[in-house]
Amino acid sequence: MKNACEKWKDQLLEAALTGATTKDFEEHLRVCAMCSRELDAVRARKGQLDELLPLVARGAEPPADFQAQVLAAAEAASGASRARRWRVWTLAGATAAIVALMIGAAMYRRAAQTIPEKELAAVQRLAEWRAPSDALLATPGQEILRTMPRLGESYLNVPMKENEEE
Amino acid sequence: MRGPEAGFGERIAENQRRVFQIAYSILGNAADAEDVAQEAFLRAYQKFGSLREAEKFRGWVNRIVFRLALNRKRGHRRRLTRDTAWKITETRAMVDGAKGAEQQIMLDKLRKEIERLPEKLRSVLQLSLVEEMDAADVGAMLGIPAGTVRSRLHTARKLLLEVME
């Protein structure tokens, strides 16, 4: 196509695609052999394009057993999903049972550690028990030393003379 | 064990060809198209409770296969061996002597040119090439009016006509 004919390019493509032409373009085609030939070439290309374009989407077919394959895959997927759900519930049940067992064991241990009142009283009595010979072995000083004197008091509880301090 | 839900097989039969073609028009590879179409149906199966109506199922599966195919296209390339094996099968099925071989070369070139189109034009073109898909169907899938679909399709064809020699 000559440079001078570049302006007809769009109309040329339109003419090849739709068959529609303007009066100006038709007049140009009558005088321009090159554009006329180009139009024929573009029309041929359009025919080729019309033949090829459908193959872009329809050049291959799904396999004959496509439906069976999808159904089998759907069945397998739904089986797997059921198995997965079953596994999840089993796991949840087992976890709950273990937790319940642990709580039960902890509660039992705690209950076992509590000392009955009766036993506690017996132990208390045993701790307070003194042999009768303890009284014979006691010294007078023990009674005095049993309590700690407060500040300013004497073990012997002898009051101090006020003038002695000065 | 309970089998696939009743009626699902029928929906596959009604839609499989179109669903496969949508995937194939985008991926240009039968193995990938088959994988993606199967995945789309499996997703539909999971939602089959709400997709029992034929029209609803059709619209939903069209959209999902389109999205899955675009994701795969953007995502990763297939192993060369598998790709080549399919290509040979497809070519054998189509090629009929020298004319067929030439057509295959032109088809490969056309696919490359389609890939170069702006995405808006490419999507419209690829979906419009699928059987049983009119401008309204394509528009519904892409969320654009049917008039816009026709206009974009015309522009896409014009651009292809210009570059295909």
Side-chain angles (χ1 to χ4, degrees):
Chain A
M1 189 180 274
K2 287 184 288 191
N3 282 346
C5 297
E6 275 293 318
K7 65 174 181 176
W8 300 109
K9 193 176 166 185
D10 192 64
Q11 291 210 37
L12 200 140
L13 291 169
E14 285 290 342
L17 270 178
T18 63
T21 51
T22 61
K23 209 171 175 181
D24 289 350
F25 183 55
E26 276 177 23
E27 278 174 18
H28 174 72
L29 285 176
R30 269 195 288 275
V31 295
C32 181
M34 196 174 277
C35 279
S36 202
R37 278 199 303 275
E38 181 70 12
L39 180 60
D40 288 342
V42 176
R43 276 181 178 147
R45 280 215 302 274
K46 193 245 175 194
Q48 201 177 26
L49 196 64
D50 287 346
E51 228 176 276
L52 287 173
L53 272 174
L55 296 177
V56 170
R58 305 169 205 174
E61 293 287 324
D65 62 345
F66 181 78
Q67 185 182 353
Q69 274 183 37
V70 175
L71 286 172
E75 172 114 17
S78 106
S81 161
R82 275 199 298 276
R84 196 164 48 245
R85 272 203 302 275
W86 187 85
R87 273 202 304 276
V88 167
W89 281 111
T90 308
L91 192 67
T95 309
I98 289 168
V99 169
L101 272 173
M102 284 168 71
I103 291 171
M107 285 172 72
Y108 175 78
R109 197 179 298 167
R110 201 169 166 186
Q113 277 173 354
T114 312
I115 302 164
E117 286 289 318
K118 212 172 164 184
E119 276 183 38
L120 201 65
V123 170
Q124 189 65 36
R125 274 201 307 279
L126 192 64
E128 285 170 3
W129 182 82
R130 294 287 177 273
S133 55
D134 278 5
L136 298 172
L137 293 171
T139 60
Q142 276 180 324
E143 195 58 38
I144 294 166
L145 294 170
R146 183 165 289 171
T147 53
M148 188 74 120
R150 283 186 293 180
L151 197 64
E153 279 183 358
S154 157
Y155 277 105
L156 300 174
N157 221 8
V158 179
M160 288 170 75
K161 287 177 186 172
E162 286 179 12
N163 54 0
E164 271 180 3
E165 213 172 319
E166 292 163 5
Chain B
M1 195 187 282
R2 197 164 55 97
E5 293 194 43
F8 185 64
E10 202 181 319
R11 292 283 171 272
I12 299 173
E14 289 163 1
N15 294 278
Q16 62 175 3
R17 200 173 152 82
R18 179 178 9 84
V19 165
F20 180 86
Q21 284 185 5
I22 291 173
Y24 185 71
S25 73
I26 292 160
L27 298 164
N29 172 287
D32 281 346
E34 191 186 329
D35 281 356
V36 166
Q38 191 174 61
E39 196 182 335
F41 279 115
L42 289 180
R43 289 193 185 197
Y45 180 71
Q46 286 163 2
K47 285 184 164 276
F48 194 53
S50 58
L51 294 173
R52 287 192 180 276
E53 257 177 69
E55 269 310 299
K56 214 171 176 179
F57 188 96
R58 180 187 145 101
W60 192 89
V61 83
N62 280 354
R63 280 194 299 277
I64 200 78
V65 75
F66 179 61
R67 258 207 336 257
L68 288 173
L70 286 180
N71 285 349
R72 177 163 301 204
K73 182 84 182 170
R74 289 172 191 143
H76 68 274
R77 300 279 171 206
R78 276 277 166 190
R79 286 193 304 274
L80 188 66
T81 46
R82 195 176 176 191
D83 207 48
T84 312
W86 271 98
K87 205 147 204 170
I88 289 165
T89 316
E90 288 157 35
T91 310
R92 272 185 196 148
M94 281 192 318
V95 166
D96 178 23
K99 189 175 180 278
E102 191 190 333
Q103 193 181 51
Q104 188 58 50
I105 292 165
M106 290 303 289
L107 188 58
D108 288 345
K109 189 177 180 216
L110 178 60
R111 280 190 184 283
K112 278 181 193 149
E113 293 301 342
I114 290 173
E115 286 304 313
R116 289 200 187 102
L117 288 174
E119 193 178 344
K120 281 180 177 179
L121 300 182
R122 186 171 62 237
S123 301
V124 164
L125 178 72
Q126 285 167 330
L127 291 173
S128 300
L129 296 174
V130 173
E131 275 176 352
E132 306 167 17
M133 291 279 283
D134 59 18
D137 289 330
V138 176
M141 274 181 72
L142 299 175
I144 53 174
T148 309
V149 170
R150 280 188 282 269
S151 147
R152 286 184 188 176
L153 183 59
H154 181 74
T155 310
R157 284 167 63 87
K158 203 152 105 175
L159 286 173
L160 289 176
L161 195 58
E162 199 179 341
V163 293
M164 289 293 289
E165 282 180 38

